[in-house]
Amino acid sequence: MEALTSVHLTQEEIPKYWYNIIPDLPAPLPPPLDPSTMQPLNPAKGERLFAKELIRQEISSEPTIKIPDEVIQAYHMIGRPTPLIRARKLEEALNTPAEIYFKSEALNASGSHKINTALAQAYYNKAQGTERVVTETGAGQWGSALAMAAGLFDLQCEVYMVRASYDQKPGRRIMMETYGAKVRPSPSDNTDYGKSLLKQDMNHPGSLGVAISEAIEDTVKHENTRYCLGSVLNHVLLHQTVVGQEAKKQLEMIDRTPDVVIGCIGGGSNFAGFAYPLLRDKLKGKLDGTRFVAVEPTAVPSTTKGKYEYDFGDTGEMTFLVKMYTLGHKFTPPPIHAGGLRYHGKAPSLCLLINKGLMESVAYRQTEVFAAAKMFARYTGIIPAPESAHAVKKAIDEALDAKAKNERKVIVFNLSGHGLLDLSAYEQFNANKLVDYEYKPLSN
Ligand SMILES: *Cc1c(COP(=O)(O)O)cnc(C)c1O
């Protein structure tokens, strides 16, 4: 079939299973460790924090896991399957022989990919009788996705929102409150950990690592409450594989084999969800020539400058230990606008794949990222989320490289979300006021 400008699937073509990469990895995934014993975590301990089925999925080695019908119905309602779009006008503007395709997770009702796992997590919690779900959010995309899913599945929802975003980005907070969630600025006076930080600094700006610690403390102190996490963990990446399975089918429909597959990484879930169903072919000896590239900010360079070692997932040391590329759990990321990329670590399976050379990673400064985003907006009409703009920048660089070499290559990337609630970042960029931040390693 001729490569159309956008490729759509019917509702019946939505994936019926999530793809679990764990059994296909080139080496066993190092297990999460209990920090008190340094022994592999007892899964039963995880059930106080997470829904039982999510813990089962977290450690599952089944190659696929069936998506419940209720979750598929919810996927339909919020706008799945999403289209694969060819950025023809962008190709023309760049005067490149390359073809640029993106999967638009911006086009669902919540505005980002995070709803794909939020719906699953809300469903499993409701099914086991949980009454209340608690989480943290940085820029607010995850919090608003979980608030929306909790509303749909009739659960109470409480969100600890990093104070800097709570003050600067009222849009996402208002969204969460409209869906019925309770939102608190973190650090808050609702937890002992939050109180201890406020005592040191009344104006503490908060961070994702701090907000996670507060959400966990809240969860363990309340009955019938469970914690939900929007990235990093295996089960979150698993749920995101609806994105890549759809994209794979869409590429097959137009008879295209990707040369390079790109996504931004905060915790790693949107890129893993997009890339793993394609990477599966590479792990099985097909798609040999395809490259997979993860993009992160130079200000938070977990995979390009971090260490591959066991670390905590949060600042307050309440989580278990996972082996990942990390900048250290006490690292406070600078206030770049891509709030979803301000996290010290990355998902263990993604880190293993980078470590084994099956994925590459690259880092960009936010000013060059916004310049790319502005060009993309002009030629596609979509204003990317500042996070997704990192993938846009890499896609444009690949297209320019193809032009220099006169190569006809197929570039595909995941547009993880839109930036319509991040307009103040664009306002700063347009006014030439956006600055870059150097990475300052933790001294220890
Ligand atoms: C949260 C977020 C990210 C980063 O998280 P991942 O788990 O790495 O996907 C990227 N893009 C958008 C739009 C987000 O909301």
Side-chain angles (χ1 to χ4, degrees):
M1 195 198 284
E2 168 57 9
L4 303 168
T5 296
S6 67
V7 189
H8 295 261
L9 299 174
T10 64
Q11 283 205 347
E12 291 69 46
E13 290 175 291
I14 205 164
K16 304 291 184 290
Y17 293 84
W18 290 302
Y19 165 57
N20 185 13
I21 198 169
I22 306 302
D24 291 334
L25 287 174
L29 196 63
L33 300 182
D34 184 333
S36 59
T37 61
M38 292 307 278
Q39 292 301 309
L41 191 73
N42 169 6
K45 258 184 139 173
E47 290 174 10
R48 178 58 193 86
L49 225 44
F50 296 97
K52 214 169 161 159
E53 173 61 21
L54 297 173
I55 291 292
R56 196 190 69 78
Q57 293 179 3
E58 186 63 23
I59 55 172
S60 169
S61 53
E62 296 160 274
T64 57
I65 291 173
K66 190 175 178 337
I67 307 178
D69 290 342
E70 291 86 342
V71 175
I72 290 186
Q73 270 175 32
Y75 281 169
H76 286 160
M77 197 182 66
I78 57 106
R80 301 218 73 83
T82 56
L84 181 80
I85 300 175
R86 180 167 175 189
R88 276 187 190 272
K89 291 211 180 291
L90 180 64
E91 291 169 14
E92 283 164 25
L94 293 167
N95 192 19
T96 176
E99 295 181 6
I100 306 174
Y101 297 90
F102 61 96
K103 179 77 171 156
S104 190
E105 291 302 297
L107 289 177
N108 71 54
S110 78
S112 88
H113 68 284
K114 295 226 171 65
I115 194 67
N116 299 324
T117 184
L119 290 168
Q121 295 190 37
Y123 168 77
Y124 289 121
N125 269 296
K126 185 69 186 180
Q128 78 169 42
T130 303
E131 288 168 3
R132 179 171 166 270
V133 287
V134 177
T135 197
E136 70 292 323
T137 197
Q141 285 109 323
W142 166 241
S144 51
L146 189 69
M148 182 171 150
L152 290 171
F153 284 103
D154 201 19
L155 291 158
Q156 296 169 46
C157 178
E158 192 142 334
V159 182
Y160 289 84
M161 184 172 190
V162 174
R163 185 179 295 270
S165 303
Y166 183 94
D167 293 337
Q168 286 162 16
K169 300 192 173 185
R172 288 277 170 193
R173 170 178 59 76
I174 296 165
M175 236 176 122
M176 291 183 259
E177 288 168 348
T178 305
Y179 292 133
K182 165 107 187 117
V183 187
R184 296 179 191 275
S186 165
S188 75
D189 57 11
N190 202 45
T191 65
D192 291 341
Y193 186 61
K195 276 187 227 163
S196 76
L197 294 179
L198 286 176
K199 214 153 136 197
Q200 293 162 24
D201 178 3
M202 266 303 289
N203 299 312
H204 196 300
S207 74
L208 214 46
V210 167
I212 294 175
S213 302
E214 284 204 274
I216 292 178
E217 184 182 329
D218 179 316
T219 304
V220 298
K221 284 184 177 163
H222 293 92
E223 288 296 309
N224 288 327
T225 293
R226 288 292 178 276
Y227 172 64
C228 294
L229 193 65
S231 187
V232 183
L233 296 179
N234 296 335
H235 69 265
V236 179
L237 275 56
L238 174 84
H239 300 153
Q240 294 296 350
T241 60
V242 286
V243 179
Q245 291 181 72
E246 288 176 13
K248 186 166 187 272
K249 196 170 213 168
Q250 287 161 318
L251 286 164
E252 283 164 9
M253 281 165 68
I254 53 169
D255 207 13
R256 292 294 185 277
T257 305
D259 293 297
V260 52
V261 178
I262 300 165
C264 66
I265 51 169
S269 73
N270 88 83
F271 185 48
F274 180 59
Y276 284 2
L278 293 158
L279 191 73
R280 177 178 184 273
D281 284 358
K282 185 164 173 139
L283 294 169
K284 304 224 179 258
K286 293 182 270 175
L287 278 190
D288 257 355
T290 304
R291 292 160 51 221
F292 292 83
V293 189
V295 190
E296 64 190 11
T298 48
V300 193
S302 308
T303 68
T304 50
K305 297 246 171 90
K307 292 199 183 102
Y308 188 45
E309 62 187 21
Y310 273 100
D311 194 9
F312 286 100
D314 69 323
T315 312
E317 305 185 352
M318 291 176 205
T319 66
F320 40 84
L321 297 165
V322 291
K323 188 160 182 189
M324 60 183 173
Y325 281 102
T326 174
L327 300 169
H329 62 282
K330 298 286 183 195
F331 176 74
T332 304
I336 53 167
H337 284 282
L341 308 188
R342 294 181 65 227
Y343 187 63
H344 63 276
K346 299 288 170 272
S349 60
L350 192 93
C351 293
L352 184 135
L353 288 161
I354 291 175
N355 189 257
K356 298 282 176 205
L358 284 148
M359 282 188 164
E360 307 162 29
S361 65
V362 63
Y364 288 118
R365 288 175 287 121
Q366 71 171 354
T367 49
E368 58 187 350
V369 162
F370 273 86
K374 188 167 179 173
M375 182 175 194
F376 180 83
R378 171 158 178 193
Y379 292 109
T380 64
I382 301 176
I383 295 184
E387 294 85 0
S388 322
H390 287 71
V392 171
K393 167 67 179 157
K394 180 61 181 164
I396 290 179
D397 276 10
E398 287 285 332
L400 291 173
D401 176 67
K403 178 182 171 182
K405 297 179 182 152
N406 198 21
E407 248 175 4
R408 226 192 126 81
K409 75 176 146 183
V410 176
I411 300 164
V412 300
F413 72 95
N414 195 30
L415 189 82
S416 51
H418 69 64
L420 291 176
L421 289 162
D422 301 280
L423 291 179
S424 66
Y426 282 90
E427 183 180 34
Q428 283 185 21
F429 177 76
N430 292 339
N432 243 326
K433 285 187 185 150
L434 206 64
V435 295
D436 288 320
Y437 297 91
E438 291 312 310
Y439 163 59
K440 287 198 203 72
L442 278 176
S443 47
N444 46 10

